[in-house]
Amino acid sequence: ALLEPLRRRLADIGLRNFAEISASMSKITGVPVTNANVVTTYNTVKQQLPSSVSVETFVSAQQMGVAQLAIEYCSALVDDTALRGAFFPGFTNFNTAVAPAFDTTLEQDQIINPLFDKVAGGIGSQPGDAEMKAELADLIDLLRGRHASGTATDTQKIVKATCAAALGSAAVLVQ
């Protein structure tokens, strides 16, 4: 009983390890873990990904590995017309220049809402709808502003970047 105050309390939350992160990203996006580009990236960043579930062991290099893996999963998702159509069913502007592709809130929501629903929606300890959706909308606005005269390729890059921001977030990393 005397030692009780000295014992370190364990965290209520933990991290997914590298295999769990990849499996979660695969399940969310529908991109198989066996996708050649995903496998290459996974093998490259595997050493950077968390091997322990302890939050106290997390370092910035691990976040970089998570980000690189998220980018690869999102690139594979957006590059596959069937997968992206199923993931973002309302967004039909993948082959449209940037300015008209994102010129309404509805079009942005057609990207943001499926990401939120599949990445963080319904989990009590995750960020709230308003906060996460606002951050993703701000990212789209920033990228849209920088690529206002951009082509359909730039539109797809904006969707990939927005997807990677959500997929590489604590909503997927923390369990």
Side-chain angles (χ1 to χ4, degrees):
L2 283 175
L3 295 178
E4 203 58 41
L6 299 176
R7 289 191 183 147
R8 192 169 139 198
R9 184 167 184 257
L10 296 177
D12 292 335
I13 59 170
L15 302 175
R16 287 185 168 96
N17 66 32
F18 56 87
E20 292 170 325
I21 291 167
S22 184
S24 295
M25 289 180 178
S26 175
K27 182 172 174 93
I28 290 166
T29 63
V31 173
V33 294
T34 56
N35 174 286
N37 292 333
V38 167
V39 169
T40 299
T41 300
Y42 178 80
N43 288 332
T44 300
V45 302
K46 186 170 144 179
Q47 295 297 337
Q48 291 175 260
L49 298 174
S51 58
S52 166
V53 297
S54 174
V55 170
E56 288 86 11
T57 64
F58 189 74
V59 295
S60 60
Q62 292 169 330
Q63 183 60 49
M64 293 306 300
V66 170
Q68 287 176 295
L69 193 59
I71 290 165
E72 197 56 59
Y73 271 103
C74 290
S75 290
L77 169 64
V78 173
D79 290 345
D80 184 304
T81 56
L83 284 177
R84 76 182 185 206
F87 195 97
F88 303 106
F91 191 76
T92 58
N93 294 342
F94 286 102
N95 295 316
T96 305
V98 171
F102 299 108
D103 62 352
T104 69
T105 302
L106 174 63
E107 291 160 341
Q108 289 186 19
D109 287 347
Q110 291 169 337
I111 298 299
I112 294 168
N113 290 337
L115 283 169
F116 180 82
D117 292 345
K118 292 175 176 124
V119 171
I123 301 174
S125 65
Q126 297 300 336
D129 291 20
E131 294 89 359
M132 187 168 183
K133 288 180 178 182
E135 290 296 326
L136 295 174
D138 287 348
L139 177 61
I140 290 173
D141 286 340
L142 175 71
L143 295 173
R144 185 184 65 180
R146 290 186 178 168
H147 302 282
S149 62
T151 66
T153 300
D154 295 313
T155 296
Q156 292 174 22
K157 287 178 184 177
I158 291 171
V159 175
K160 290 175 185 181
T162 307
C163 172
L167 198 61
S169 72
V172 174
L173 181 61
V174 175
Q175 61 181 353

